[in-house]
Protein backbone atom coordinates (compact mmCIF):
# COMPACT_ATOMS: atom_id res chain seq x y z
CA UNK A 1 0.00 0.00 0.00
CA UNK A 2 1.23 3.51 -0.67
CA UNK A 3 1.64 6.19 2.00
CA UNK A 4 -1.75 7.81 1.40
CA UNK A 5 -3.55 4.48 1.66
CA UNK A 6 -1.73 3.64 4.89
CA UNK A 7 -2.53 7.03 6.41
CA UNK A 8 -6.18 6.76 5.35
CA UNK A 9 -6.42 3.27 6.85
CA UNK A 10 -4.79 4.48 10.06
CA UNK A 11 -7.33 7.28 10.33
CA UNK A 12 -10.14 4.80 9.70
CA UNK A 13 -8.92 2.74 12.65
CA UNK A 14 -8.61 5.83 14.82
CA UNK A 15 -12.18 6.89 13.97
CA UNK A 16 -13.48 3.40 14.76
CA UNK A 17 -11.87 3.52 18.19
CA UNK A 18 -13.23 7.01 18.81
CA UNK A 19 -16.70 5.84 17.75
CA UNK A 20 -16.38 3.03 20.30
CA UNK A 21 -16.02 5.81 22.92
CA UNK A 22 -12.34 5.17 23.63
CA UNK A 23 -10.23 8.19 24.56
CA UNK A 24 -7.88 8.51 21.61
CA UNK A 25 -7.32 12.26 22.04
CA UNK A 26 -3.53 12.05 22.35
CA UNK A 27 -3.32 9.71 19.37
CA UNK A 28 -5.51 12.10 17.40
CA UNK A 29 -3.07 14.92 18.20
CA UNK A 30 -0.17 12.75 17.02
CA UNK A 31 -2.09 12.02 13.81
CA UNK A 32 -2.77 15.71 13.13
CA UNK A 33 0.91 16.60 13.40
CA UNK A 34 2.01 13.72 11.18
CA UNK A 35 3.42 11.44 13.89
CA UNK A 36 1.86 8.38 12.29
CA UNK A 37 4.17 5.88 14.00
CA UNK A 38 3.08 7.15 17.41
CA UNK A 39 -0.55 7.12 16.29
CA UNK A 40 -0.22 3.52 15.17
CA UNK A 41 1.32 2.55 18.50
CA UNK A 42 -1.73 3.97 20.30
CA UNK A 43 -4.13 2.32 17.90
CA UNK A 44 -2.31 -1.00 18.26
CA UNK A 45 -2.42 -0.88 22.06
CA UNK A 46 -6.12 0.06 22.01
CA UNK A 47 -6.75 -2.85 19.63
CA UNK A 48 -5.02 -5.24 22.06
CA UNK A 49 -6.98 -3.90 25.03
CA UNK A 50 -10.34 -3.82 23.22
CA UNK A 51 -10.44 -6.74 20.79
CA UNK A 52 -13.34 -6.83 18.39
CA UNK A 53 -13.46 -3.11 17.67
CA UNK A 54 -10.98 -3.16 14.78
CA UNK A 55 -10.33 -5.58 11.94
CA UNK A 56 -7.20 -7.55 12.92
CA UNK A 57 -6.19 -7.95 9.26
CA UNK A 58 -6.18 -4.18 8.77
CA UNK A 59 -4.13 -3.65 11.93
CA UNK A 60 -1.64 -6.28 10.78
CA UNK A 61 -1.40 -4.60 7.38
CA UNK A 62 -0.59 -1.28 9.07
CA UNK A 63 1.96 -2.90 11.39
CA UNK A 64 3.72 -4.42 8.39
CA UNK A 65 3.51 -1.27 6.28
CA UNK A 66 4.88 0.97 9.06
CA UNK A 67 7.37 -1.74 10.07
CA UNK A 68 6.25 -1.39 13.69
CA UNK A 69 8.01 -3.61 16.21
CA UNK A 70 5.13 -4.78 18.41
CA UNK A 71 7.18 -6.97 20.78
CA UNK A 72 6.95 -4.53 23.69
CA UNK A 73 3.18 -4.19 23.23
CA UNK A 74 2.51 -7.93 22.99
CA UNK A 75 3.82 -8.81 26.46
Amino acid sequence: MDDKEAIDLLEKQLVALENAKLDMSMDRKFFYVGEYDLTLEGVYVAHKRHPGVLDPAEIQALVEDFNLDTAEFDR
Side-chain angles (χ1 to χ4, degrees), residues 5-74:
E5 291 170 327
I7 292 166
D8 288 347
L9 182 55
L10 180 59
E11 185 170 30
K12 175 186 169 191
Q13 305 309 309
L14 191 55
V15 167
L17 291 166
E18 292 168 336
N19 288 341
K21 306 297 185 214
L22 299 175
D23 180 11
M24 303 300 293
S25 57
M26 184 57 71
D27 304 287
R28 176 56 74 180
K29 289 177 185 178
F30 289 142
F31 184 84
Y32 283 144
V33 298
E35 292 290 343
Y36 304 119
D37 290 342
L38 293 175
T39 305
L40 179 54
E41 287 178 7
V43 166
Y44 186 84
V45 169
H47 168 66
K48 288 298 197 175
R49 290 184 179 165
H50 304 280
V53 175
L54 303 178
D55 180 344
E58 290 179 347
I59 294 299
Q60 188 58 40
L62 285 171
V63 165
E64 291 172 9
D65 191 69
F66 281 84
N67 198 27
L68 178 66
D69 179 7
T70 61
E72 71 179 277
F73 307 119
D74 291 335

